[in-house]
Amino acid sequence: MDYILINGKIYTLDVSNPLVEALAIQGNRIMAVGTANDIHKLKTKTTVVIDLEGRTVLPGLNDSHLHFYSTGLYLDLVDVMGSRSIQEVKARIREYINKRQVKPGTWIRGRGWNHELFTDESRFITRQDLDEVTMDHPLLLYRTCGHVLVANSLAIKLAKLKPGNLKGEYDLEKGIFKEQAIEALLQAIPDPTIEEIKTTIKAAMKHANRYGITSVQSDDLMHLPSRNAEKMLAAFQALDKERKLTVRIYEQAQLPTLDYLKAFLERGLTTGVGSPFFKIGPLKLLADGSLGARTAALRKPYRDDPLTAGILNYSNEELYALVEMAHTHRMQVAIHGIGDRAIEQIIDTYKKVLQRYPRLDHRHGIVHAQIMDSHLMAEMKALNLLAYVQPIFLNYDHRIVEARVGSLARTSYAYRTMKRLGIHVAYGTDSPVEKIDPMENIYTAVTRKGLDGKPEEGWMKEEAVTVEEAVHAYTVEGAYAEFMEDEKGKLIPNYLADLIVLNQDLFTVPSETIRQTRVLLTMVDGKIVYSNL
């Protein structure tokens, strides 16, 4: 045996044998689980024995939806997340420029501002605000949701933006761009080289392993300024070929047009193609925007802004054509839908495609699935659609959801109801929209509280899940979303040796302390990729 882990509380997530003391690993597979005495007998001269000293072990965690390249990129961008004022945002940008001695003319990007948190003026940041910080650097600053971007005057000038060459919602005077309007700005930024992309991905992997993430389902292909999917794909494939991936990546391939999708499929790229470390997953589409930016598409106008009901990115015909092409080429589909109008459009599209081309085990799904009603959830179950959800969104959204959608709040973020209905629910963070930290995600799902511990009684506490259910959503359900439930997500013989060691037992500590849990060791494919034991 290569490794033996003994004297631990090893949660296998196997209902027939849920808790064991020890396990043995050979190569990249778990070979045996059981008592410390039985497993210790498998020791050879070359076996590395890890005495867990009573610590907790779980299967490696699987983030079911994030943006992995952007997560790595964000580690090197201007971080304005959590800023409590417009002045603080400006101060953080100035500090970034001064500390890094950024040369004039260099593009600067940042992310994380949320106008709802500002105590000086509760409004969107504008071009004029950014111009006060710098007129020497083209500057782009994303709202925390990623669906709104503010640019300074130099960035707008270099992008040669005029009303005639812009799509979507925008305000050139204020420098505010939403959804599709962001595209024209990004195209002005030079692409990184493949080696630079690889460096960013490596940073993301190191970051993820530290948090116990061993698998990710990631939307990356459209995240270069040029939207060069081929270049991004080449970087991931190169790292895979070089055997430098320490996170298993199931690529949620964002291909927003029929031309993109057709070219992808003609290359033989579809769900399941790839290696154990980098594999093509579903077609990823975005049906609408975000709740915070009021671009999520609702069936009724926003309660706190009756002039808008959000944005649908596709007509019914456009969405159907994309889903039909993917489905008929045996490609899984995952569609971003936050508002009830967008979710209804997604469900109707899936229903029409599945009626015409029936397939039971399609594993199509809805990413976010936030603003819901009981009928929409019942339809999801009837069509056997997956839900890729982010409980950590409640940290902020519980403060705004009732103001945005009124009584619909009572059937939204309904994770327990989804579970009760039998919908497959997998957890993720949407990083870098939120921190990649799974413990904050689990804490929010279990307590229904924000990270400040409020509301004390929990928001819609009846929708809280158990720790067991949250861990199941981060492991077993994550594997199911990848068609990998027979390979990972549990710690049982013949499954992949992807596991984590924690500093405390999630299942026995008070729920308020869940978010204080730290990862001490992460193992992927039978190799230690992070250790703080």
PDB file of all heavy atoms in Angstrom, residues 231 403 488 521:
ATOM      1  N   LYS A 231      -7.917  29.010 -27.235  1.00  0.00           N
ATOM      2  CA  LYS A 231      -6.710  29.316 -26.466  1.00  0.00           C
ATOM      3  C   LYS A 231      -6.860  28.853 -25.023  1.00  0.00           C
ATOM      4  O   LYS A 231      -5.941  28.267 -24.438  1.00  0.00           O
ATOM      5  CB  LYS A 231      -6.442  30.828 -26.514  1.00  0.00           C
ATOM      6  CG  LYS A 231      -5.054  31.241 -26.071  1.00  0.00           C
ATOM      7  CD  LYS A 231      -4.861  32.730 -26.359  1.00  0.00           C
ATOM      8  CE  LYS A 231      -3.427  33.160 -26.137  1.00  0.00           C
ATOM      9  NZ  LYS A 231      -3.237  34.608 -26.434  1.00  0.00           N
ATOM     10  N   ALA A 403     -37.340  42.608  -1.068  1.00  0.00           N
ATOM     11  CA  ALA A 403     -37.507  43.916  -1.713  1.00  0.00           C
ATOM     12  C   ALA A 403     -37.553  43.783  -3.228  1.00  0.00           C
ATOM     13  O   ALA A 403     -38.277  44.517  -3.910  1.00  0.00           O
ATOM     14  CB  ALA A 403     -36.362  44.840  -1.303  1.00  0.00           C
ATOM     15  N   LYS A 488     -16.247   8.643  -7.750  1.00  0.00           N
ATOM     16  CA  LYS A 488     -15.812   9.553  -6.694  1.00  0.00           C
ATOM     17  C   LYS A 488     -17.010  10.073  -5.921  1.00  0.00           C
ATOM     18  O   LYS A 488     -18.162   9.818  -6.262  1.00  0.00           O
ATOM     19  CB  LYS A 488     -14.996  10.704  -7.276  1.00  0.00           C
ATOM     20  CG  LYS A 488     -15.746  11.621  -8.241  1.00  0.00           C
ATOM     21  CD  LYS A 488     -14.805  12.704  -8.789  1.00  0.00           C
ATOM     22  CE  LYS A 488     -15.519  13.627  -9.758  1.00  0.00           C
ATOM     23  NZ  LYS A 488     -14.632  14.666 -10.305  1.00  0.00           N
ATOM     24  N   LEU A 521      -5.326  18.704   5.271  1.00  0.00           N
ATOM     25  CA  LEU A 521      -4.657  17.927   4.229  1.00  0.00           C
ATOM     26  C   LEU A 521      -5.644  17.676   3.089  1.00  0.00           C
ATOM     27  O   LEU A 521      -6.824  17.407   3.330  1.00  0.00           O
ATOM     28  CB  LEU A 521      -4.137  16.597   4.785  1.00  0.00           C
ATOM     29  CG  LEU A 521      -3.397  15.676   3.802  1.00  0.00           C
ATOM     30  CD1 LEU A 521      -2.225  14.984   4.514  1.00  0.00           C
ATOM     31  CD2 LEU A 521      -4.321  14.613   3.209  1.00  0.00           C
TER      32      LEU A 521
END
